[in-house]
Amino acid sequence: MSYEFLNVEVVDRIATVTINRPDKLNALNAHVFDELDGVFTAFTTDPLVAAVIVTGAGRAFVAGADIAEIAALDVAGLERLSARGQSVFNKIERLPKPVIAAVNGFALGGGCELALACHIRVASEHAKFGLPEVKLGLIPGYGGTQRLPRLIGRARALRMILSGEQIDATVAQAVGLIDEVATATTLRDVARSIALQVSKNAPLAMARAIGAVNDGYDRPIDDALALEARLFGSLGATKDMAEGTAAFLGKRAAQFTGE
Ligand code: COA
């Protein structure tokens, strides 16, 4: 399938989605959201895709929601836009395959929120993170007020949200917003090597692991542990669990089929 604002390539079962609107620093307009929705829907069931990397073309990852689009919206329109962005980012967060953000530059507003929806985040040393919406008379609307405090803690998140200031990759790593800092030239290789590493693991186990973390996170601990036990148990019915344990005991590499 071809896209106007995305480049999508799949190599060795790793899909790389490059948001490609560099003249507007990859700002997210309705069309970009439609395309992200479509491609992540397709990844859900595509057996040729084991893991996904999301990155941006040019000097930005994503510089936020498209302010030109937002400026014209009234109360109902803004609420609809927020719900739309949230639903697309939920789809990314709930993809039953690992999604890695390779943050190559500005990750502001919706760009920071896109990175937050990914499962693993690496960034180039030039990347900048921020939620500048209050400078526009808005608040983060694509999950930022909820995912950021859960990731880095309420106090640090509130400081970022209320100041609207940008932080660089080193600070982002120090506060736990990203996992790793790479150079601009090694970023794609670092993201790719993480994607290749995870893509060797049992697909159904990774899907259930993502489900356990996502669905259990906000539940009371006993409920969350019960969920974990159910998902853990459900893997007993898979060929991959039989293969993974037999391979370990037989001192050989496992060959997972996703069954
Ligand atoms: N929405 C729409 N257009 C955007 C945009 C956004 N979020 N971010 C950048 N652009 C556009 C600019 O309008 C400019 O377009 P033009 O060349 O047609 O005038 C182009 O991208 C380049 O941006 P520019 O501001 O000239 O680059 P810069 O290097 O001087 O500044 C930023 C870079 C990221 C600091 C600045 O673009 C910025 O603050 N962007 C908005 C960030 C934001 O508030 N995001 C949250 C939105 S809710």
Side-chain angles (χ1 to χ4, degrees), residues 10 17 23 36 76 79 82 96-97 107 116-118 145 158 165 167 174 178-179 197 215 218 230 236 238 242 254 257:
V10 181
V17 176
D23 55 321
L36 281 173
E79 196 169 334
S82 175
K97 302 170 183 184
L116 290 170
C118 297
T145 65
L158 271 169
E165 279 172 6
I167 60 172
I178 57 171
D179 311 308
Q197 179 196 36
D215 297 346
D218 293 316
R230 275 199 306 282
T238 66
T257 58

Side-chain angles (χ1 to χ4, degrees), residues 64-199:
D66 190 321
I67 298 169
E69 243 182 33
I70 285 182
L73 295 178
D74 61 6
V75 170
L78 285 170
E79 196 169 334
R80 266 197 307 275
L81 183 78
S82 175
R84 173 69 177 146
Q86 288 176 359
S87 93
V88 175
F89 288 180
N90 283 345
K91 185 167 284 182
I92 294 173
E93 186 176 60
R94 293 171 192 168
L95 191 79
K97 302 170 183 184
V99 184
I100 298 148
V103 181
N104 53 300
F106 292 113
L108 303 178
C112 187
E113 292 168 302
L114 170 60
L116 290 170
C118 297
H119 304 131
I120 296 171
R121 282 162 291 280
V122 294
S124 99
E125 58 199 350
H126 304 298
K128 302 268 191 221
F129 296 82
L131 291 173
E133 286 85 351
V134 289
K135 293 177 185 287
L136 300 166
L138 283 167
I139 63 168
Y142 303 154
T145 65
Q146 303 308 310
R147 288 197 179 95
L148 191 64
R150 284 165 170 76
L151 187 65
I152 69 171
R154 197 149 65 151
R156 287 191 183 113
L158 271 169
R159 177 156 177 181
M160 280 183 71
I161 291 166
L162 295 177
S163 70
E165 279 172 6
Q166 296 176 17
I167 60 172
D168 66 21
T170 314
V171 175
Q173 186 182 28
V175 299
L177 207 169
I178 57 171
D179 311 308
E180 192 170 338
V181 182
T183 65
T185 45
T186 58
L187 178 67
R188 289 229 178 183
D189 288 343
V190 169
R192 201 171 153 69
S193 95
I194 296 169
L196 282 169
Q197 179 196 36
V198 297
S199 70

